[in-house]
Amino acid sequence: MAGCGGGGAKAQPSLKGKVIAKTADVPVGGGKVIEDLQVVVTQPTQGVFMAFSSICTHKGCAVSTPKDNVIRCACHGSEFAADSGKATKGPASAPLTSYKVRVEGDGIVVA
């Protein structure tokens, strides 16, 4: 994913191995923004969890809670796919930085 944007291209070391959300808190087709970690967790389909930076790649605004499998930035209207982080509507053109996650018990953990 080199060349997709500025700094922050990989998970903060403090996130690795950390439970960032509970599976019950992330609805199918939606998600949850963890503001203090600057991460958004999505569940595009039942049992599939994804995590991305919650910072829009356009101007650095925080994205909103995902709905209908879309992650939206309220600042300028950019939209990102909840299953890939790919920019689907501009002005952002670069995808959100993605984090590998796994489910451990009822927690979603950064791998």
Side-chain angles (χ1 to χ4, degrees), residues 22-36:
K22 298 290 186 187
T23 56
D25 294 337
V26 184
V28 175
K32 177 180 174 115
V33 176
I34 297 86
E35 292 178 17
D36 59 328

Side-chain angles (χ1 to χ4, degrees), residues 21-103:
K22 298 290 186 187
T23 56
D25 294 337
V26 184
V28 175
K32 177 180 174 115
V33 176
I34 297 86
E35 292 178 17
D36 59 328
L37 300 177
Q38 295 186 329
V39 173
V40 58
V41 182
T42 65
Q43 186 178 184
T45 56
Q46 182 70 43
V48 175
F49 296 91
M50 309 292 289
F52 307 97
S53 167
S54 63
I55 304 304
C56 180
T57 57
H58 174 238
K59 292 283 186 183
C61 292
V63 299
S64 302
T65 300
K67 184 178 176 189
D68 301 324
N69 277 324
V70 177
I71 303 167
R72 292 177 178 84
C73 179
C75 289
H76 302 106
S78 294
E79 295 183 356
F80 303 88
D83 63 347
S84 67
K86 179 181 174 186
T88 57
K89 179 181 174 189
S93 58
L96 296 173
T97 300
S98 63
Y99 301 121
K100 291 185 184 282
V101 293
R102 65 180 181 268
V103 176

